[in-house]
Amino acid sequence: MKVLFFLILFWISFFKRFTQAISESETTLVSIQTVFNHGIRSPLHNYPNNPNDIWSRYSSSLGQLTDLGMKQMYDYGVFLRQKYPSLNSTYDRTRAWALATDHDRNLQSAQMVMTGLFQPNQNTIWIKNSNLTGFYPVPIHTAPVECDQIFHRHSPCPRFNEIQEEARMANVAKENASEGILWKMKCQSNIDLGYYDLWRLGDKALIDAAHGLSVDKYISEEMNRLMDVRNNNFYVSYISTLEQAQLISGALLNQIVSYFYRKISRTTQNELYLYGAFDYYLSGLQRLMSTTSKFTQPNFGAAFIFELRKDSNGNHFVQTLWKDNAFNESITFNPVNVLGCEIMCPVDKFRSLVSPYLVTSFDEICKQKKLTVTSTTSTTTTTTTTTGSTGSKVTTTTTLRMA
Ligand SMILES: *[C@@H]1O[C@H](CO)[C@@H](O)[C@H](O)[C@H]1NC(C)=O
Ligand SMILES: *[C@@H]1O[C@H](CO)[C@@H](O)[C@H](O)[C@H]1NC(C)=O
Ligand SMILES: *[C@@H]1O[C@H](CO)[C@@H](O)[C@H](O)[C@H]1NC(C)=O
Ligand SMILES: *[C@@H]1O[C@H](CO)[C@@H](O)[C@H](O)[C@H]1NC(C)=O
């Protein structure tokens, strides 16, 4: 009788152990990694007849983080500090690391997030009675864009260009269906737009509205269609296939997974890793990890958080959170399932699910697959010379059909 009782008890606990997903409250935080899009910026193009001439104060360059964008990213840092009180509030380079692509708005965004996260304390006050009293300077690491091994989008990658070209060719029906709106927008904006430039108008409208500027009537009247086109432009250009998404975000995903394993094997003390990047790196991750089926161009400041957690038995889990609120909405993260894994995904399972998409080197996978794409219409031949990883010159000749 007694034996039976214990058998039942054992069975129940065994059953519970393997069927009930673990909840966040049964775990403690080990470390976090967050990948975010930069904050809201000034336009990327000049617009003729644009009455909104407020951008010059952000330097004469295009695409600079604006006051609102700086505040937005600072607020994200403050949010992280409140959400994760266990992260050490004293900046220490062995515990917190920030990396950004070598673009002003990404470097500045990373800097603002770190400023929100780390203030000087009693022992680290470096200036007294100053407007800078609450500011602690934190280094932001970067690599030149043409040799960045994690954020590879601005390095030569012939295979990526090939896929993008194919994706655009396959999208021609959608392009044709947008001919009406394209002509209307060309005429009313006075800009010589092609289908893959139409996103600019939705972009301009979002930025103008965010900075309290009036939105051109011809844009606001067609806003829904323009946002659809913007999302289609974005999808086709960056994440139309898993291979394309892998060429964008595969190395970043590899870095995230490897870093958690370094943490588990205690080869790093780091508890916070920050990545200041662009929207397509986030979408690439969404695509590879299958966290959504509805892809839209992420908002300024959109972000993933990857939490490494541990239960009382020493098992590690990855919990993935996603935020995509508009600049003027409160920061809202929601947990997402990675490739069908439970929210609190055992770390080994996480790694094996994403393993087909991890990139450790772009040398092979960036090579062209189709040497020539011939066509009866016009063709163009471009010759690019890049320096291979061994330092040798690699010359490739691409013949691509002009759409
Ligand atoms: C926080 O970091 C400081 C500086 O590295 C260290 O002296 C302190 O022990 C850390 N505190 C905790 C709770 O880990
Ligand atoms: C803070 O900055 C303002 C404007 O530059 C200046 O007038 C003021 O003296 C500064 N305050 C301190 C404590 O440095
Ligand atoms: C798109 O338009 C071109 C030019 O009018 C036409 O030749 C082509 O067949 C159209 N393609 C599709 C898929 O609608
Ligand atoms: C955010 O801004 C947009 C565009 O200006 C506006 O339509 C929306 O109502 C705003 N939302 C909030 C919560 O303020």
Side-chain angles (χ1 to χ4, degrees), residues 133-347:
T133 301
F135 173 71
Y136 194 79
V138 171
I140 309 299
H141 299 266
T142 192
V145 290
E146 59 280 5
C147 43
D148 193 322
Q149 289 304 309
I150 296 178
F151 301 107
H152 201 255
R153 180 64 200 106
H154 290 84
S155 310
C157 186
R159 179 61 188 153
F160 184 88
N161 301 341
E162 202 170 60
I163 303 175
Q164 193 180 62
E165 183 82 3
E166 282 169 5
R168 288 181 172 179
M169 281 188 212
N171 195 42
V172 73
K174 191 110 188 181
E175 204 174 317
N176 283 2
S178 303
E179 210 158 274
I181 190 167
L182 179 59
W183 280 104
K184 185 176 172 195
M185 291 297 128
K186 267 166 94 143
C187 170
Q188 301 203 354
S189 68
N190 271 319
I191 312 171
D192 188 20
L193 299 164
Y195 176 72
Y196 289 96
D197 306 312
L198 270 178
W199 64 270
R200 287 195 210 169
L201 301 180
D203 184 74
K204 171 171 161 47
L206 285 181
I207 292 169
D208 284 346
H211 293 87
L213 302 170
S214 61
V215 175
D216 311 67
K217 190 151 171 284
Y218 71 91
I219 299 181
S220 61
E221 279 171 358
E222 295 285 358
M223 201 57 188
N224 289 342
R225 286 206 55 199
L226 284 171
M227 293 311 272
D228 280 348
V229 171
R230 180 172 175 266
N231 287 328
N232 179 259
N233 277 194
F234 184 81
Y235 185 83
V236 170
S237 300
Y238 301 113
I239 53 167
S240 70
T241 62
L242 282 170
E243 187 187 357
Q244 197 180 14
Q246 189 180 19
L247 289 171
I248 294 266
S249 298
L252 174 59
L253 191 52
N254 182 59
Q255 155 75 19
I256 291 163
V257 173
S258 317
Y259 217 83
F260 278 154
Y261 276 90
R262 282 193 59 192
K263 184 69 184 170
I264 292 167
S265 66
R266 297 174 196 272
T267 56
T268 175
Q269 273 194 292
N270 206 318
E271 54 183 20
L272 170 67
Y273 211 125
L274 219 97
Y275 305 87
F278 291 111
D279 47 13
Y280 40 75
Y281 290 108
L282 291 168
S283 300
L285 290 177
Q286 283 187 302
R287 185 80 157 94
L288 297 178
M289 302 189 308
S290 194
T291 57
T292 183
S293 54
K294 192 174 169 289
F295 293 95
T296 54
Q297 182 169 353
N299 278 299
F300 297 112
F304 268 117
I305 293 178
F306 299 90
E307 298 177 349
L308 182 67
R309 295 185 160 272
K310 191 165 85 170
D311 72 7
S312 55
N313 299 316
N315 301 309
H316 286 87
F317 303 86
V318 179
Q319 177 168 244
T320 306
L321 308 169
W322 169 245
K323 101 172 164 87
D324 194 14
N325 52 273
F327 79 97
N328 58 349
E329 294 164 352
S330 57
I331 297 180
T332 313
F333 273 98
N334 292 305
V336 286
N337 298 90
V338 172
L339 291 158
C341 195
E342 47 270 43
I343 294 291
M344 205 61 74
C345 186
V347 68

Side-chain angles (χ1 to χ4, degrees), residues 54 74 83 302 347 361:
I54 66 155
Y74 173 77
K83 183 168 169 61
V347 68
S361 160

